Amino acid sequence: MYAFIFELPNKPYLCKTKTKNMKIGICNDHAGVEYKFKLVKMLRRRGIEVVNFGTDTPDSVDYPDFAHRLASAVESGEVELGIALCGTGNGMAMTLNKHRGIRAGLAWNTAIGRLVAQHNNANVLVLPARFISYRLAAAIVREWLDTPFEGGRHQKRIDKIPCR
Ligand code: RB5
């Protein structure tokens, strides 16, 4: 997942290859269908391979059924990162974060999209589809993809997340 390590003044950055040739999984419930299809197009234009683990129709479904599929794919390495969409984002985030190998972060603006990569090294980005515009959702995804994890004190903190 990590392509290389480079040094900025006093700051080693772990840099993810979050562009071409990477594989991202995406999942959604009925609230996220429209944004999912648009995001898939946007990601494919960036040369990213996208695997769809979500529902494709507006019929009511249960978000855990899709969140667990995406989480398992990230944990097994089938995909490197994931994006999840539901109405508020909370159902997806709660379910995804039950998985030991997942750090799912909910973001509703671009600053949080950047920080969830830089500080939390989120391997799944969760978006509240009913509360943000598609334009903002796409901007958050780009920010998350383009921001490297800072490591250092943040690595120490995320190492303490799993229950003992
Ligand atoms: C579906 O109506 C809604 O409950 C779901 O998308 C999500 O917001 C749950 O957290």
Side-chain angles (χ1 to χ4, degrees), residues 19-46:
T19 52
K20 271 199 184 324
N21 303 324
M22 90 170 317
K23 212 167 165 182
I24 291 186
I26 193 162
C27 83
N28 61 285
D29 69 359
H30 48 282
V33 178
E34 189 195 330
Y35 286 13
K36 187 263 299 287
F37 283 127
K38 289 181 174 176
L39 286 173
V40 168
K41 273 193 192 162
M42 189 268 277
L43 293 165
R44 289 186 176 149
R45 276 200 304 270
R46 281 178 72 130

mmCIF file with all atom_site columns, all heavy atoms in Angstrom, residues 19-46:
data_model
loop_
_atom_site.group_PDB
_atom_site.id
_atom_site.type_symbol
_atom_site.label_atom_id
_atom_site.label_alt_id
_atom_site.label_comp_id
_atom_site.label_asym_id
_atom_site.label_entity_id
_atom_site.label_seq_id
_atom_site.pdbx_PDB_ins_code
_atom_site.Cartn_x
_atom_site.Cartn_y
_atom_site.Cartn_z
_atom_site.occupancy
_atom_site.B_iso_or_equiv
_atom_site.pdbx_formal_charge
_atom_site.auth_seq_id
_atom_site.auth_comp_id
_atom_site.auth_asym_id
_atom_site.auth_atom_id
_atom_site.pdbx_PDB_model_num
ATOM 1   N N   . THR A 1 19 ? -3.330  7.083  -6.611  1.00 0.00 ? 19 THR A N   1
ATOM 2   C CA  . THR A 1 19 ? -3.824  7.503  -7.917  1.00 0.00 ? 19 THR A CA  1
ATOM 3   C C   . THR A 1 19 ? -3.862  6.305  -8.861  1.00 0.00 ? 19 THR A C   1
ATOM 4   O O   . THR A 1 19 ? -4.551  5.350  -8.597  1.00 0.00 ? 19 THR A O   1
ATOM 5   C CB  . THR A 1 19 ? -2.958  8.647  -8.481  1.00 0.00 ? 19 THR A CB  1
ATOM 6   O OG1 . THR A 1 19 ? -1.599  8.250  -8.439  1.00 0.00 ? 19 THR A OG1 1
ATOM 7   C CG2 . THR A 1 19 ? -3.146  9.913  -7.673  1.00 0.00 ? 19 THR A CG2 1
ATOM 8   N N   . LYS A 1 20 ? -3.105  6.403  -9.946  1.00 0.00 ? 20 LYS A N   1
ATOM 9   C CA  . LYS A 1 20 ? -3.156  5.371  -10.986 1.00 0.00 ? 20 LYS A CA  1
ATOM 10  C C   . LYS A 1 20 ? -2.842  3.976  -10.436 1.00 0.00 ? 20 LYS A C   1
ATOM 11  O O   . LYS A 1 20 ? -2.035  3.829  -9.533  1.00 0.00 ? 20 LYS A O   1
ATOM 12  C CB  . LYS A 1 20 ? -2.128  5.704  -12.064 1.00 0.00 ? 20 LYS A CB  1
ATOM 13  C CG  . LYS A 1 20 ? -2.689  6.596  -13.141 1.00 0.00 ? 20 LYS A CG  1
ATOM 14  C CD  . LYS A 1 20 ? -1.806  6.503  -14.371 1.00 0.00 ? 20 LYS A CD  1
ATOM 15  C CE  . LYS A 1 20 ? -2.211  7.430  -15.472 1.00 0.00 ? 20 LYS A CE  1
ATOM 16  N NZ  . LYS A 1 20 ? -3.610  7.665  -15.671 1.00 0.00 ? 20 LYS A NZ  1
ATOM 17  N N   . ASN A 1 21 ? -3.486  2.979  -11.032 1.00 0.00 ? 21 ASN A N   1
ATOM 18  C CA  . ASN A 1 21 ? -3.238  1.568  -10.750 1.00 0.00 ? 21 ASN A CA  1
ATOM 19  C C   . ASN A 1 21 ? -3.671  1.118  -9.366  1.00 0.00 ? 21 ASN A C   1
ATOM 20  O O   . ASN A 1 21 ? -3.356  0.016  -8.968  1.00 0.00 ? 21 ASN A O   1
ATOM 21  C CB  . ASN A 1 21 ? -1.757  1.190  -10.948 1.00 0.00 ? 21 ASN A CB  1
ATOM 22  C CG  . ASN A 1 21 ? -1.290  1.515  -12.339 1.00 0.00 ? 21 ASN A CG  1
ATOM 23  O OD1 . ASN A 1 21 ? -2.061  1.364  -13.279 1.00 0.00 ? 21 ASN A OD1 1
ATOM 24  N ND2 . ASN A 1 21 ? -0.057  1.973  -12.470 1.00 0.00 ? 21 ASN A ND2 1
ATOM 25  N N   . MET A 1 22 ? -4.326  1.956  -8.622  1.00 0.00 ? 22 MET A N   1
ATOM 26  C CA  . MET A 1 22 ? -4.779  1.467  -7.331  1.00 0.00 ? 22 MET A CA  1
ATOM 27  C C   . MET A 1 22 ? -6.219  0.983  -7.448  1.00 0.00 ? 22 MET A C   1
ATOM 28  O O   . MET A 1 22 ? -6.929  1.317  -8.394  1.00 0.00 ? 22 MET A O   1
ATOM 29  C CB  . MET A 1 22 ? -4.597  2.502  -6.228  1.00 0.00 ? 22 MET A CB  1
ATOM 30  C CG  . MET A 1 22 ? -5.751  3.420  -6.013  1.00 0.00 ? 22 MET A CG  1
ATOM 31  S SD  . MET A 1 22 ? -5.539  4.371  -4.524  1.00 0.00 ? 22 MET A SD  1
ATOM 32  C CE  . MET A 1 22 ? -4.945  3.178  -3.384  1.00 0.00 ? 22 MET A CE  1
ATOM 33  N N   . LYS A 1 23 ? -6.598  0.149  -6.475  1.00 0.00 ? 23 LYS A N   1
ATOM 34  C CA  . LYS A 1 23 ? -7.931  -0.443 -6.498  1.00 0.00 ? 23 LYS A CA  1
ATOM 35  C C   . LYS A 1 23 ? -8.693  0.037  -5.271  1.00 0.00 ? 23 LYS A C   1
ATOM 36  O O   . LYS A 1 23 ? -8.230  -0.148 -4.145  1.00 0.00 ? 23 LYS A O   1
ATOM 37  C CB  . LYS A 1 23 ? -7.763  -1.959 -6.458  1.00 0.00 ? 23 LYS A CB  1
ATOM 38  C CG  . LYS A 1 23 ? -8.802  -2.747 -7.176  1.00 0.00 ? 23 LYS A CG  1
ATOM 39  C CD  . LYS A 1 23 ? -8.300  -4.169 -7.312  1.00 0.00 ? 23 LYS A CD  1
ATOM 40  C CE  . LYS A 1 23 ? -9.389  -5.105 -7.697  1.00 0.00 ? 23 LYS A CE  1
ATOM 41  N NZ  . LYS A 1 23 ? -8.916  -6.487 -7.789  1.00 0.00 ? 23 LYS A NZ  1
ATOM 42  N N   . ILE A 1 24 ? -9.827  0.649  -5.510  1.00 0.00 ? 24 ILE A N   1
ATOM 43  C CA  . ILE A 1 24 ? -10.644 1.161  -4.405  1.00 0.00 ? 24 ILE A CA  1
ATOM 44  C C   . ILE A 1 24 ? -11.999 0.469  -4.425  1.00 0.00 ? 24 ILE A C   1
ATOM 45  O O   . ILE A 1 24 ? -12.596 0.298  -5.487  1.00 0.00 ? 24 ILE A O   1
ATOM 46  C CB  . ILE A 1 24 ? -10.840 2.693  -4.538  1.00 0.00 ? 24 ILE A CB  1
ATOM 47  C CG1 . ILE A 1 24 ? -9.505  3.416  -4.294  1.00 0.00 ? 24 ILE A CG1 1
ATOM 48  C CG2 . ILE A 1 24 ? -11.897 3.215  -3.584  1.00 0.00 ? 24 ILE A CG2 1
ATOM 49  C CD1 . ILE A 1 24 ? -9.627  4.934  -4.260  1.00 0.00 ? 24 ILE A CD1 1
ATOM 50  N N   . GLY A 1 25 ? -12.482 0.080  -3.243  1.00 0.00 ? 25 GLY A N   1
ATOM 51  C CA  . GLY A 1 25 ? -13.826 -0.482 -3.132  1.00 0.00 ? 25 GLY A CA  1
ATOM 52  C C   . GLY A 1 25 ? -14.794 0.623  -2.730  1.00 0.00 ? 25 GLY A C   1
ATOM 53  O O   . GLY A 1 25 ? -14.423 1.552  -2.008  1.00 0.00 ? 25 GLY A O   1
ATOM 54  N N   . ILE A 1 26 ? -16.021 0.532  -3.212  1.00 0.00 ? 26 ILE A N   1
ATOM 55  C CA  . ILE A 1 26 ? -17.010 1.546  -2.845  1.00 0.00 ? 26 ILE A CA  1
ATOM 56  C C   . ILE A 1 26 ? -18.296 0.838  -2.447  1.00 0.00 ? 26 ILE A C   1
ATOM 57  O O   . ILE A 1 26 ? -18.655 -0.179 -3.045  1.00 0.00 ? 26 ILE A O   1
ATOM 58  C CB  . ILE A 1 26 ? -17.225 2.562  -4.007  1.00 0.00 ? 26 ILE A CB  1
ATOM 59  C CG1 . ILE A 1 26 ? -17.995 3.796  -3.561  1.00 0.00 ? 26 ILE A CG1 1
ATOM 60  C CG2 . ILE A 1 26 ? -17.866 1.919  -5.225  1.00 0.00 ? 26 ILE A CG2 1
ATOM 61  C CD1 . ILE A 1 26 ? -17.869 4.993  -4.501  1.00 0.00 ? 26 ILE A CD1 1
ATOM 62  N N   . CYS A 1 27 ? -18.937 1.318  -1.385  1.00 0.00 ? 27 CYS A N   1
ATOM 63  C CA  . CYS A 1 27 ? -20.217 0.709  -1.004  1.00 0.00 ? 27 CYS A CA  1
ATOM 64  C C   . CYS A 1 27 ? -21.196 1.796  -0.596  1.00 0.00 ? 27 CYS A C   1
ATOM 65  O O   . CYS A 1 27 ? -20.807 2.912  -0.248  1.00 0.00 ? 27 CYS A O   1
ATOM 66  C CB  . CYS A 1 27 ? -20.039 -0.332 0.096   1.00 0.00 ? 27 CYS A CB  1
ATOM 67  S SG  . CYS A 1 27 ? -19.958 0.336  1.749   1.00 0.00 ? 27 CYS A SG  1
ATOM 68  N N   . ASN A 1 28 ? -22.459 1.461  -0.666  1.00 0.00 ? 28 ASN A N   1
ATOM 69  C CA  . ASN A 1 28 ? -23.513 2.444  -0.392  1.00 0.00 ? 28 ASN A CA  1
ATOM 70  C C   . ASN A 1 28 ? -24.824 1.730  -0.112  1.00 0.00 ? 28 ASN A C   1
ATOM 71  O O   . ASN A 1 28 ? -25.003 0.575  -0.530  1.00 0.00 ? 28 ASN A O   1
ATOM 72  C CB  . ASN A 1 28 ? -23.698 3.347  -1.621  1.00 0.00 ? 28 ASN A CB  1
ATOM 73  C CG  . ASN A 1 28 ? -24.107 2.554  -2.847  1.00 0.00 ? 28 ASN A CG  1
ATOM 74  O OD1 . ASN A 1 28 ? -23.278 1.867  -3.443  1.00 0.00 ? 28 ASN A OD1 1
ATOM 75  N ND2 . ASN A 1 28 ? -25.375 2.601  -3.200  1.00 0.00 ? 28 ASN A ND2 1
ATOM 76  N N   . ASP A 1 29 ? -25.705 2.432  0.599   1.00 0.00 ? 29 ASP A N   1
ATOM 77  C CA  . ASP A 1 29 ? -27.085 1.946  0.693   1.00 0.00 ? 29 ASP A CA  1
ATOM 78  C C   . ASP A 1 29 ? -27.915 2.766  -0.306  1.00 0.00 ? 29 ASP A C   1
ATOM 79  O O   . ASP A 1 29 ? -27.359 3.475  -1.160  1.00 0.00 ? 29 ASP A O   1
ATOM 80  C CB  . ASP A 1 29 ? -27.610 2.003  2.140   1.00 0.00 ? 29 ASP A CB  1
ATOM 81  C CG  . ASP A 1 29 ? -27.820 3.421  2.651   1.00 0.00 ? 29 ASP A CG  1
ATOM 82  O OD1 . ASP A 1 29 ? -27.550 4.389  1.911   1.00 0.00 ? 29 ASP A OD1 1
ATOM 83  O OD2 . ASP A 1 29 ? -28.263 3.562  3.813   1.00 0.00 ? 29 ASP A OD2 1
ATOM 84  N N   . HIS A 1 30 ? -29.256 2.719  -0.174  1.00 0.00 ? 30 HIS A N   1
ATOM 85  C CA  . HIS A 1 30 ? -30.129 3.416  -1.139  1.00 0.00 ? 30 HIS A CA  1
ATOM 86  C C   . HIS A 1 30 ? -29.900 4.929  -1.132  1.00 0.00 ? 30 HIS A C   1
ATOM 87  O O   . HIS A 1 30 ? -30.136 5.595  -2.127  1.00 0.00 ? 30 HIS A O   1
ATOM 88  C CB  . HIS A 1 30 ? -31.597 3.089  -0.842  1.00 0.00 ? 30 HIS A CB  1
ATOM 89  C CG  . HIS A 1 30 ? -31.963 3.242  0.608   1.00 0.00 ? 30 HIS A CG  1
ATOM 90  N ND1 . HIS A 1 30 ? -31.627 2.287  1.552   1.00 0.00 ? 30 HIS A ND1 1
ATOM 91  C CD2 . HIS A 1 30 ? -32.593 4.231  1.282   1.00 0.00 ? 30 HIS A CD2 1
ATOM 92  C CE1 . HIS A 1 30 ? -32.056 2.681  2.737   1.00 0.00 ? 30 HIS A CE1 1
ATOM 93  N NE2 . HIS A 1 30 ? -32.643 3.864  2.605   1.00 0.00 ? 30 HIS A NE2 1
ATOM 94  N N   . ALA A 1 31 ? -29.423 5.478  0.000   1.00 0.00 ? 31 ALA A N   1
ATOM 95  C CA  . ALA A 1 31 ? -29.217 6.935  0.078   1.00 0.00 ? 31 ALA A CA  1
ATOM 96  C C   . ALA A 1 31 ? -27.985 7.388  -0.706  1.00 0.00 ? 31 ALA A C   1
ATOM 97  O O   . ALA A 1 31 ? -27.823 8.576  -0.973  1.00 0.00 ? 31 ALA A O   1
ATOM 98  C CB  . ALA A 1 31 ? -29.088 7.364  1.540   1.00 0.00 ? 31 ALA A CB  1
ATOM 99  N N   . GLY A 1 32 ? -27.135 6.445  -1.088  1.00 0.00 ? 32 GLY A N   1
ATOM 100 C CA  . GLY A 1 32 ? -25.873 6.846  -1.723  1.00 0.00 ? 32 GLY A CA  1
ATOM 101 C C   . GLY A 1 32 ? -25.712 6.407  -3.168  1.00 0.00 ? 32 GLY A C   1
ATOM 102 O O   . GLY A 1 32 ? -24.637 6.550  -3.742  1.00 0.00 ? 32 GLY A O   1
ATOM 103 N N   . VAL A 1 33 ? -26.801 5.880  -3.763  1.00 0.00 ? 33 VAL A N   1
ATOM 104 C CA  . VAL A 1 33 ? -26.688 5.306  -5.115  1.00 0.00 ? 33 VAL A CA  1
ATOM 105 C C   . VAL A 1 33 ? -26.195 6.339  -6.143  1.00 0.00 ? 33 VAL A C   1
ATOM 106 O O   . VAL A 1 33 ? -25.228 6.090  -6.881  1.00 0.00 ? 33 VAL A O   1
ATOM 107 C CB  . VAL A 1 33 ? -28.043 4.727  -5.588  1.00 0.00 ? 33 VAL A CB  1
ATOM 108 C CG1 . VAL A 1 33 ? -27.936 4.178  -7.002  1.00 0.00 ? 33 VAL A CG1 1
ATOM 109 C CG2 . VAL A 1 33 ? -28.512 3.640  -4.650  1.00 0.00 ? 33 VAL A CG2 1
ATOM 110 N N   . GLU A 1 34 ? -26.843 7.498  -6.157  1.00 0.00 ? 34 GLU A N   1
ATOM 111 C CA  . GLU A 1 34 ? -26.532 8.500  -7.185  1.00 0.00 ? 34 GLU A CA  1
ATOM 112 C C   . GLU A 1 34 ? -25.077 8.977  -7.067  1.00 0.00 ? 34 GLU A C   1
ATOM 113 O O   . GLU A 1 34 ? -24.335 9.019  -8.059  1.00 0.00 ? 34 GLU A O   1
ATOM 114 C CB  . GLU A 1 34 ? -27.489 9.679  -7.000  1.00 0.00 ? 34 GLU A CB  1
ATOM 115 C CG  . GLU A 1 34 ? -27.436 10.690 -8.108  1.00 0.00 ? 34 GLU A CG  1
ATOM 116 C CD  . GLU A 1 34 ? -28.127 11.993 -7.697  1.00 0.00 ? 34 GLU A CD  1
ATOM 117 O OE1 . GLU A 1 34 ? -29.077 11.962 -6.878  1.00 0.00 ? 34 GLU A OE1 1
ATOM 118 O OE2 . GLU A 1 34 ? -27.688 13.054 -8.202  1.00 0.00 ? 34 GLU A OE2 1
ATOM 119 N N   . TYR A 1 35 ? -24.658 9.302  -5.857  1.00 0.00 ? 35 TYR A N   1
ATOM 120 C CA  . TYR A 1 35 ? -23.278 9.793  -5.663  1.00 0.00 ? 35 TYR A CA  1
ATOM 121 C C   . TYR A 1 35 ? -22.277 8.683  -5.969  1.00 0.00 ? 35 TYR A C   1
ATOM 122 O O   . TYR A 1 35 ? -21.197 8.938  -6.479  1.00 0.00 ? 35 TYR A O   1
ATOM 123 C CB  . TYR A 1 35 ? -23.069 10.288 -4.227  1.00 0.00 ? 35 TYR A CB  1
ATOM 124 C CG  . TYR A 1 35 ? -23.700 11.611 -3.890  1.00 0.00 ? 35 TYR A CG  1
ATOM 125 C CD1 . TYR A 1 35 ? -24.649 12.213 -4.719  1.00 0.00 ? 35 TYR A CD1 1
ATOM 126 C CD2 . TYR A 1 35 ? -23.360 12.277 -2.711  1.00 0.00 ? 35 TYR A CD2 1
ATOM 127 C CE1 . TYR A 1 35 ? -25.226 13.425 -4.386  1.00 0.00 ? 35 TYR A CE1 1
ATOM 128 C CE2 . TYR A 1 35 ? -23.932 13.501 -2.376  1.00 0.00 ? 35 TYR A CE2 1
ATOM 129 C CZ  . TYR A 1 35 ? -24.874 14.068 -3.203  1.00 0.00 ? 35 TYR A CZ  1
ATOM 130 O OH  . TYR A 1 35 ? -25.438 15.269 -2.867  1.00 0.00 ? 35 TYR A OH  1
ATOM 131 N N   . LYS A 1 36 ? -22.636 7.443  -5.614  1.00 0.00 ? 36 LYS A N   1
ATOM 132 C CA  . LYS A 1 36 ? -21.731 6.322  -5.889  1.00 0.00 ? 36 LYS A CA  1
ATOM 133 C C   . LYS A 1 36 ? -21.402 6.255  -7.379  1.00 0.00 ? 36 LYS A C   1
ATOM 134 O O   . LYS A 1 36 ? -20.233 6.209  -7.770  1.00 0.00 ? 36 LYS A O   1
ATOM 135 C CB  . LYS A 1 36 ? -22.373 5.011  -5.412  1.00 0.00 ? 36 LYS A CB  1
ATOM 136 C CG  . LYS A 1 36 ? -21.486 3.773  -5.481  1.00 0.00 ? 36 LYS A CG  1
ATOM 137 C CD  . LYS A 1 36 ? -21.658 2.903  -6.700  1.00 0.00 ? 36 LYS A CD  1
ATOM 138 C CE  . LYS A 1 36 ? -23.017 2.311  -6.887  1.00 0.00 ? 36 LYS A CE  1
ATOM 139 N NZ  . LYS A 1 36 ? -23.360 1.237  -5.970  1.00 0.00 ? 36 LYS A NZ  1
ATOM 140 N N   . PHE A 1 37 ? -22.452 6.292  -8.230  1.00 0.00 ? 37 PHE A N   1
ATOM 141 C CA  . PHE A 1 37 ? -22.196 6.177  -9.677  1.00 0.00 ? 37 PHE A CA  1
ATOM 142 C C   . PHE A 1 37 ? -21.337 7.330  -10.186 1.00 0.00 ? 37 PHE A C   1
ATOM 143 O O   . PHE A 1 37 ? -20.437 7.132  -11.001 1.00 0.00 ? 37 PHE A O   1
ATOM 144 C CB  . PHE A 1 37 ? -23.508 6.085  -10.449 1.00 0.00 ? 37 PHE A CB  1
ATOM 145 C CG  . PHE A 1 37 ? -24.142 4.718  -10.358 1.00 0.00 ? 37 PHE A CG  1
ATOM 146 C CD1 . PHE A 1 37 ? -25.451 4.571  -9.952  1.00 0.00 ? 37 PHE A CD1 1
ATOM 147 C CD2 . PHE A 1 37 ? -23.416 3.579  -10.682 1.00 0.00 ? 37 PHE A CD2 1
ATOM 148 C CE1 . PHE A 1 37 ? -26.028 3.304  -9.860  1.00 0.00 ? 37 PHE A CE1 1
ATOM 149 C CE2 . PHE A 1 37 ? -23.979 2.311  -10.596 1.00 0.00 ? 37 PHE A CE2 1
ATOM 150 C CZ  . PHE A 1 37 ? -25.292 2.178  -10.186 1.00 0.00 ? 37 PHE A CZ  1
ATOM 151 N N   . LYS A 1 38 ? -21.594 8.543  -9.671  1.00 0.00 ? 38 LYS A N   1
ATOM 152 C CA  . LYS A 1 38 ? -20.806 9.692  -10.125 1.00 0.00 ? 38 LYS A CA  1
ATOM 153 C C   . LYS A 1 38 ? -19.356 9.583  -9.638  1.00 0.00 ? 38 LYS A C   1
ATOM 154 O O   . LYS A 1 38 ? -18.419 9.892  -10.375 1.00 0.00 ? 38 LYS A O   1
ATOM 155 C CB  . LYS A 1 38 ? -21.427 10.996 -9.611  1.00 0.00 ? 38 LYS A CB  1
ATOM 156 C CG  . LYS A 1 38 ? -22.738 11.338 -10.283 1.00 0.00 ? 38 LYS A CG  1
ATOM 157 C CD  . LYS A 1 38 ? -23.265 12.647 -9.717  1.00 0.00 ? 38 LYS A CD  1
ATOM 158 C CE  . LYS A 1 38 ? -24.504 13.117 -10.450 1.00 0.00 ? 38 LYS A CE  1
ATOM 159 N NZ  . LYS A 1 38 ? -25.070 14.330 -9.842  1.00 0.00 ? 38 LYS A NZ  1
ATOM 160 N N   . LEU A 1 39 ? -19.184 9.136  -8.402  1.00 0.00 ? 39 LEU A N   1
ATOM 161 C CA  . LEU A 1 39 ? -17.811 8.999  -7.872  1.00 0.00 ? 39 LEU A CA  1
ATOM 162 C C   . LEU A 1 39 ? -17.036 7.916  -8.615  1.00 0.00 ? 39 LEU A C   1
ATOM 163 O O   . LEU A 1 39 ? -15.836 8.061  -8.867  1.00 0.00 ? 39 LEU A O   1
ATOM 164 C CB  . LEU A 1 39 ? -17.838 8.675  -6.373  1.00 0.00 ? 39 LEU A CB  1
ATOM 165 C CG  . LEU A 1 39 ? -18.210 9.836  -5.448  1.00 0.00 ? 39 LEU A CG  1
ATOM 166 C CD1 . LEU A 1 39 ? -18.367 9.348  -4.008  1.00 0.00 ? 39 LEU A CD1 1
ATOM 167 C CD2 . LEU A 1 39 ? -17.175 10.961 -5.514  1.00 0.00 ? 39 LEU A CD2 1
ATOM 168 N N   . VAL A 1 40 ? -17.718 6.840  -8.965  1.00 0.00 ? 40 VAL A N   1
ATOM 169 C CA  . VAL A 1 40 ? -17.058 5.765  -9.722  1.00 0.00 ? 40 VAL A CA  1
ATOM 170 C C   . VAL A 1 40 ? -16.489 6.332  -11.024 1.00 0.00 ? 40 VAL A C   1
ATOM 171 O O   . VAL A 1 40 ? -15.332 6.088  -11.374 1.00 0.00 ? 40 VAL A O   1
ATOM 172 C CB  . VAL A 1 40 ? -18.018 4.589  -9.990  1.00 0.00 ? 40 VAL A CB  1
ATOM 173 C CG1 . VAL A 1 40 ? -17.442 3.620  -11.009 1.00 0.00 ? 40 VAL A CG1 1
ATOM 174 C CG2 . VAL A 1 40 ? -18.336 3.852  -8.687  1.00 0.00 ? 40 VAL A CG2 1
ATOM 175 N N   . LYS A 1 41 ? -17.289 7.151  -11.718 1.00 0.00 ? 41 LYS A N   1
ATOM 176 C CA  . LYS A 1 41 ? -16.820 7.761  -12.975 1.00 0.00 ? 41 LYS A CA  1
ATOM 177 C C   . LYS A 1 41 ? -15.611 8.638  -12.716 1.00 0.00 ? 41 LYS A C   1
ATOM 178 O O   . LYS A 1 41 ? -14.625 8.600  -13.452 1.00 0.00 ? 41 LYS A O   1
ATOM 179 C CB  . LYS A 1 41 ? -17.927 8.637  -13.575 1.00 0.00 ? 41 LYS A CB  1
ATOM 180 C CG  . LYS A 1 41 ? -18.870 7.895  -14.451 1.00 0.00 ? 41 LYS A CG  1
ATOM 181 C CD  . LYS A 1 41 ? -19.714 8.895  -15.234 1.00 0.00 ? 41 LYS A CD  1
ATOM 182 C CE  . LYS A 1 41 ? -20.868 8.178  -15.910 1.00 0.00 ? 41 LYS A CE  1
ATOM 183 N NZ  . LYS A 1 41 ? -21.921 9.082  -16.312 1.00 0.00 ? 41 LYS A NZ  1
ATOM 184 N N   . MET A 1 42 ? -15.684 9.457  -11.683 1.00 0.00 ? 42 MET A N   1
ATOM 185 C CA  . MET A 1 42 ? -14.594 10.387 -11.358 1.00 0.00 ? 42 MET A CA  1
ATOM 186 C C   . MET A 1 42 ? -13.308 9.609  -11.043 1.00 0.00 ? 42 MET A C   1
ATOM 187 O O   . MET A 1 42 ? -12.223 9.934  -11.529 1.00 0.00 ? 42 MET A O   1
ATOM 188 C CB  . MET A 1 42 ? -15.019 11.247 -10.163 1.00 0.00 ? 42 MET A CB  1
ATOM 189 C CG  . MET A 1 42 ? -14.106 12.395 -9.829  1.00 0.00 ? 42 MET A CG  1
ATOM 190 S SD  . MET A 1 42 ? -12.852 11.964 -8.619  1.00 0.00 ? 42 MET A SD  1
ATOM 191 C CE  . MET A 1 42 ? -13.745 12.169 -7.087  1.00 0.00 ? 42 MET A CE  1
ATOM 192 N N   . LEU A 1 43 ? -13.441 8.536  -10.267 1.00 0.00 ? 43 LEU A N   1
ATOM 193 C CA  . LEU A 1 43 ? -12.256 7.759  -9.886  1.00 0.00 ? 43 LEU A CA  1
ATOM 194 C C   . LEU A 1 43 ? -11.658 7.048  -11.093 1.00 0.00 ? 43 LEU A C   1
ATOM 195 O O   . LEU A 1 43 ? -10.439 7.006  -11.264 1.00 0.00 ? 43 LEU A O   1
ATOM 196 C CB  . LEU A 1 43 ? -12.630 6.750  -8.790  1.00 0.00 ? 43 LEU A CB  1
ATOM 197 C CG  . LEU A 1 43 ? -13.026 7.373  -7.440  1.00 0.00 ? 43 LEU A CG  1
ATOM 198 C CD1 . LEU A 1 43 ? -13.715 6.351  -6.555  1.00 0.00 ? 43 LEU A CD1 1
ATOM 199 C CD2 . LEU A 1 43 ? -11.803 7.944  -6.730  1.00 0.00 ? 43 LEU A CD2 1
ATOM 200 N N   . ARG A 1 44 ? -12.523 6.512  -11.940 1.00 0.00 ? 44 ARG A N   1
ATOM 201 C CA  . ARG A 1 44 ? -12.019 5.809  -13.134 1.00 0.00 ? 44 ARG A CA  1
ATOM 202 C C   . ARG A 1 44 ? -11.305 6.768  -14.062 1.00 0.00 ? 44 ARG A C   1
ATOM 203 O O   . ARG A 1 44 ? -10.317 6.404  -14.697 1.00 0.00 ? 44 ARG A O   1
ATOM 204 C CB  . ARG A 1 44 ? -13.148 5.051  -13.843 1.00 0.00 ? 44 ARG A CB  1
ATOM 205 C CG  . ARG A 1 44 ? -13.564 3.850  -13.007 1.00 0.00 ? 44 ARG A CG  1
ATOM 206 C CD  . ARG A 1 44 ? -14.585 2.961  -13.692 1.00 0.00 ? 44 ARG A CD  1
ATOM 207 N NE  . ARG A 1 44 ? -14.837 1.798  -12.834 1.00 0.00 ? 44 ARG A NE  1
ATOM 208 C CZ  . ARG A 1 44 ? -15.981 1.146  -12.758 1.00 0.00 ? 44 ARG A CZ  1
ATOM 209 N NH1 . ARG A 1 44 ? -16.999 1.514  -13.501 1.00 0.00 ? 44 ARG A NH1 1
ATOM 210 N NH2 . ARG A 1 44 ? -16.115 0.109  -11.952 1.00 0.00 ? 44 ARG A NH2 1
ATOM 211 N N   . ARG A 1 45 ? -11.786 8.012  -14.141 1.00 0.00 ? 45 ARG A N   1
ATOM 212 C CA  . ARG A 1 45 ? -11.082 9.018  -14.947 1.00 0.00 ? 45 ARG A CA  1
ATOM 213 C C   . ARG A 1 45 ? -9.682  9.264  -14.415 1.00 0.00 ? 45 ARG A C   1
ATOM 214 O O   . ARG A 1 45 ? -8.787  9.639  -15.153 1.00 0.00 ? 45 ARG A O   1
ATOM 215 C CB  . ARG A 1 45 ? -11.863 10.348 -14.959 1.00 0.00 ? 45 ARG A CB  1
ATOM 216 C CG  . ARG A 1 45 ? -12.965 10.409 -16.004 1.00 0.00 ? 45 ARG A CG  1
ATOM 217 C CD  . ARG A 1 45 ? -13.363 11.843 -16.307 1.00 0.00 ? 45 ARG A CD  1
ATOM 218 N NE  . ARG A 1 45 ? -13.768 12.567 -15.122 1.00 0.00 ? 45 ARG A NE  1
ATOM 219 C CZ  . ARG A 1 45 ? -15.025 12.614 -14.660 1.00 0.00 ? 45 ARG A CZ  1
ATOM 220 N NH1 . ARG A 1 45 ? -15.996 11.995 -15.304 1.00 0.00 ? 45 ARG A NH1 1
ATOM 221 N NH2 . ARG A 1 45 ? -15.327 13.292 -13.575 1.00 0.00 ? 45 ARG A NH2 1
ATOM 222 N N   . ARG A 1 46 ? -9.488  9.068  -13.097 1.00 0.00 ? 46 ARG A N   1
ATOM 223 C CA  . ARG A 1 46 ? -8.158  9.234  -12.502 1.00 0.00 ? 46 ARG A CA  1
ATOM 224 C C   . ARG A 1 46 ? -7.293  7.994  -12.685 1.00 0.00 ? 46 ARG A C   1
ATOM 225 O O   . ARG A 1 46 ? -6.184  7.919  -12.168 1.00 0.00 ? 46 ARG A O   1
ATOM 226 C CB  . ARG A 1 46 ? -8.274  9.496  -10.992 1.00 0.00 ? 46 ARG A CB  1
ATOM 227 C CG  . ARG A 1 46 ? -8.632  10.914 -10.617 1.00 0.00 ? 46 ARG A CG  1
ATOM 228 C CD  . ARG A 1 46 ? -8.762  11.058 -9.108  1.00 0.00 ? 46 ARG A CD  1
ATOM 229 N NE  . ARG A 1 46 ? -7.472  10.990 -8.418  1.00 0.00 ? 46 ARG A NE  1
ATOM 230 C CZ  . ARG A 1 46 ? -7.039  11.872 -7.521  1.00 0.00 ? 46 ARG A CZ  1
ATOM 231 N NH1 . ARG A 1 46 ? -7.782  12.901 -7.190  1.00 0.00 ? 46 ARG A NH1 1
ATOM 232 N NH2 . ARG A 1 46 ? -5.870  11.722 -6.930  1.00 0.00 ? 46 ARG A NH2 1
#
